[in-house]
């Protein structure tokens, strides 16, 4: 199956499911698309007993799309830039300390605690993997997914200060989480030198994370100047596409965090660029274009997440482990956000119940699955991948579906 055929099937499938959801089911797009694609996957699976060629075709379709490369190597750049483009940087700066703590120390705290608890939990189910792989799972499941989070926040009536904190954390902890995951994977697979020490890990982390932020600022400034020098929305839209595609590709060559660079560049263009480098016509056209890009890639992404279930191996032990791990992750998430909020509640101007809202609205999504799929073919991979999928499915379908009601109940209490 060539690239065009694969893309055609995915886009057609996404369009059909989006139509069904919008016309009849009327769930938030991210939840509706994933739910419908899961139902479709189960129908395909059951139909396979009658017509095995249907499953073979479906699996070949999924195998023709490298989910990790599709998301982490391309789609993520568009989604993060589009998400950051609509965030008000002034609101973000008001929450900067809280967001910085949650996106860095919060991710590291969750990685260590989740990994440690999973290590001692697995033997109860007759499963055992090395501690470093438990930390690897902790790293990939700890960051909240900005794509899922921003999609759900559109459906809630969250106060502006709290919405900014949730969105800002999800935009930045994604990039930090990828860096933490990369470092731990290097240690786990032995691709790092055996004598690597804490200082080298810190240097690698700083190079990726801080380098990504600085690189994003440089990109944003360069393209801001280019946008300012012309007044033609077609040219300016093409320039932003070049920023995202060329900038993200170059980030990998420079060994800096592409996700963090796209967030920073998106914030720069969406705020400073909007005010000083765009006419009113360009502003409307460019922002409408990126909103469409956001909706399009979101649709394809959550359909891809749903159909991945056909190629993931599940066992009773894997299912039970995943179900037990869900409340553990939520409890650790609650502790991780409660402590900084408790210390900074007044300065951050957050409402009562902010910790509960941030815990439940901190969804896991495609990034966690993509990172799990990026693990080499080692004996520990099937368990990590299956448990990750269970946590993500619960997060999007259960947490996502109940977020609006929960937020309203907490804020009204």
């Amino acid at each position: 199956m060539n690239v065009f055929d694969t893309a055609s099937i995915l886009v057609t499938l996404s369009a059909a499911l989006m139509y069904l959801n919008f016309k009849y089911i009327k769930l938030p797009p991210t939840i509706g698309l994933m739910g419908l694609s899961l139902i479709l996957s189960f129908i395909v699976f059951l139909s396979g007993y009658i017509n095995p060629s249907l499953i073979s075709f479906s699996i070949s379709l999924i195998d023709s799309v490298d989910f990790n490369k599709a998301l982490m190597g391309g789609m993520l750049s568009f989604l993060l830039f589009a998400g950051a483009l609509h965030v008000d940087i002034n609101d973000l700066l008001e929450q900067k300390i809280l967001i910085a703590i949650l996106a860095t120390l919060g991710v590291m705290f969750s990685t260590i605690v989740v990994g440690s608890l999973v290590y001692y939990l697995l033997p109860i189910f007759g499963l055992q993997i090395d501690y470093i792989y438990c930390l690897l799972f902790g790293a990939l499941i700890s960051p909240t997914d900005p794509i899922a989070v921003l999609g759900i926040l559109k459906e809630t009536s969250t106060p502006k200060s709290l919405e900014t904190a949730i969105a800002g954390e999800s935009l930045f902890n994604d990039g930090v989480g990828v860096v933490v995951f990369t470092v731990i994977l290097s240690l786990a697979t032995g691709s790092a030198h055996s004598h690597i020490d804490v200082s080298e890990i810190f240097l690698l982390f700083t190079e990726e994370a801080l380098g990504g932020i600085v690189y994003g600022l440089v990109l944003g400034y360069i393209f801001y100047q280019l946008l300012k020098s012309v007044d033609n929305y077609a040219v300016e839209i093409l320039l932003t596409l070049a920023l995202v595609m060329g900038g993200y590709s170059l980030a990998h060559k420079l060994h800096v965090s592409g996700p963090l660079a796209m967030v920073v560049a998106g914030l720069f263009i969406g705020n400073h660029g909007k005010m000083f480098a765009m006419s009113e016509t360009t502003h409307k056209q460019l922002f409408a274009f990126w909103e469409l890009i956001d909706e399009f890639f979101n649709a394809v992404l959550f359909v891809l997440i749903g159909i991945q279930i056909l190629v993931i191996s599940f066992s009773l032990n894997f299912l039970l482990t995943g179900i037990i791990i869900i409340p553990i992750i939520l409890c650790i998430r609650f502790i991780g956000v409660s402590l900084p909020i408790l210390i900074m509640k007044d300065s951050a101007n957050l409402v009562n119940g902010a910790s509960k809202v941030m815990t439940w609205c901190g969804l896991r999504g495609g990034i966690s699955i993509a990172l799990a799929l990026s693990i080499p073919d080692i004996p520990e991979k099937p368990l990590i991948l299956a448990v990750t999928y269970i946590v993500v499915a619960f997060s999007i379908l259960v947490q996502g579906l109940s977020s609006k009601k929960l937020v309203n109940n907490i804020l009204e209490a």
Side-chain angles (χ1 to χ4, degrees):
M1 192 177 297
N2 61 42
V3 174
F4 184 79
D5 289 338
T6 301
S8 299
I9 293 170
L10 285 174
V11 171
T12 303
L13 183 59
S14 300
L17 295 182
M18 180 175 274
Y19 176 84
L20 287 173
N21 181 62
F22 180 82
K23 185 74 174 177
Y24 301 107
I25 302 174
K26 303 185 186 302
L27 288 173
T30 52
I31 300 169
L33 285 170
M34 183 174 173
L36 286 172
S37 57
L38 278 172
I39 292 170
L40 179 63
S41 298
F42 282 119
I43 292 173
V44 169
F45 178 77
L46 294 174
S47 301
Y49 289 102
I50 301 171
N51 184 7
S53 63
L54 184 60
I55 284 207
S56 299
F57 173 79
S58 301
I59 292 175
S60 68
L61 171 65
I62 297 169
D63 287 342
S64 66
V65 180
D66 187 321
F67 186 89
N68 175 259
K69 288 184 179 178
L71 178 58
M72 305 302 294
M75 291 171 66
L76 186 60
S77 62
F78 291 94
L79 290 163
L80 288 177
F81 181 83
L85 199 66
H86 294 87
V87 175
D88 190 322
I89 198 166
N90 292 319
D91 293 335
L92 204 64
L93 289 173
E94 289 181 6
Q95 310 284 349
K96 59 183 180 297
I97 298 177
L98 177 62
I99 290 171
I101 292 172
L102 292 174
T104 53
L105 298 179
V107 170
M108 295 176 192
F109 168 80
S110 179
T111 296
I112 295 169
V113 178
V114 169
S116 300
L117 290 178
V118 167
Y119 178 73
Y120 290 106
L121 174 69
L122 290 179
I124 298 174
F125 299 97
L127 303 168
Q128 183 67 62
I129 61 176
D130 291 342
Y131 181 66
I132 190 71
Y133 292 108
C134 293
L135 287 178
L136 193 66
F137 171 75
L140 67 86
I141 210 66
S142 291
T144 55
D145 190 312
I147 302 156
V149 169
L150 293 173
I152 294 301
L153 285 179
K154 295 176 185 177
E155 308 295 325
T156 66
S157 55
T158 311
K160 191 66 178 177
S161 60
L162 182 54
E163 181 181 338
T164 300
I166 297 172
E169 180 207 6
S170 66
L171 284 169
F172 283 99
N173 74 5
D174 160 57
V176 173
V178 171
V179 174
V180 173
F181 173 85
T182 303
V183 171
I184 296 176
L185 182 62
S186 297
L187 295 172
T189 57
S191 57
H193 297 296
S194 58
H195 63 274
I196 193 166
D197 57 26
V198 174
S199 62
E200 289 176 293
I201 294 174
F202 178 76
L203 183 62
L204 178 59
F205 180 86
T206 302
E207 178 187 357
E208 284 273 346
L210 188 60
I213 292 171
V214 172
Y215 174 63
L217 282 171
V218 172
L219 269 183
Y221 180 76
I222 291 172
F223 278 85
Y224 159 74
Q225 293 293 342
L226 293 174
L227 293 171
K228 192 176 178 181
S229 67
V230 295
D231 186 15
N232 181 288
Y233 70 82
V235 175
E236 291 176 83
I237 288 173
L238 192 58
L239 283 171
T240 57
L241 281 172
L243 185 162
V244 172
M245 299 176 73
Y248 194 76
S249 297
L250 184 58
H252 292 292
K253 305 296 182 183
L254 297 175
H255 302 290
V256 298
S257 173
L260 284 174
M262 290 302 101
V263 170
V264 173
L267 288 170
F268 196 103
I269 298 298
N271 289 269
H272 201 67
K274 179 179 71 175
M275 292 178 63
F276 302 110
M278 298 179 196
S279 65
E280 186 63 28
T281 300
T282 296
H283 171 211
K284 290 180 179 178
Q285 295 285 353
L286 189 143
F287 275 60
F289 171 82
W290 280 102
E291 187 172 349
L292 179 61
I293 289 288
D294 188 33
E295 294 289 341
F296 170 75
F297 279 113
N298 257 305
V300 175
L301 172 61
F302 283 94
V303 168
L304 276 172
I305 293 174
I307 63 177
Q308 283 293 319
I309 196 171
L310 288 171
V311 294
I312 295 177
S313 299
F314 291 96
S315 68
L316 181 59
N317 280 355
F318 288 5
L319 288 170
L320 290 174
T321 302
I323 292 169
I324 295 297
I325 284 175
I326 289 169
I328 292 174
I329 290 173
L330 287 173
C331 288
I332 295 168
R333 165 76 179 167
F334 180 73
I335 295 169
V337 300
S338 294
L339 293 176
I341 288 176
L342 185 63
I343 297 170
M344 304 186 58
K345 184 178 179 181
D346 293 333
S347 60
N349 194 30
L350 297 177
V351 297
N352 292 328
S355 297
K356 296 176 184 177
V357 173
M358 291 193 72
T359 298
W360 197 252
C361 291
L363 308 183
R364 274 69 179 181
I367 292 171
S368 294
I369 295 176
L371 292 176
L373 285 167
S374 73
I375 298 172
D377 291 328
I378 54 177
E380 295 83 1
K381 182 175 180 177
L383 169 61
I384 295 174
L385 183 56
V387 173
T388 300
Y389 194 90
I390 293 167
V391 173
V392 169
F394 176 88
S395 184
I396 294 172
L397 297 177
V398 179
Q399 290 176 239
L401 195 57
S402 58
S403 289
K404 183 177 181 179
K405 184 176 181 180
L406 177 80
V407 169
N408 292 336
N409 289 342
I410 289 175
L411 297 179
E412 289 171 3

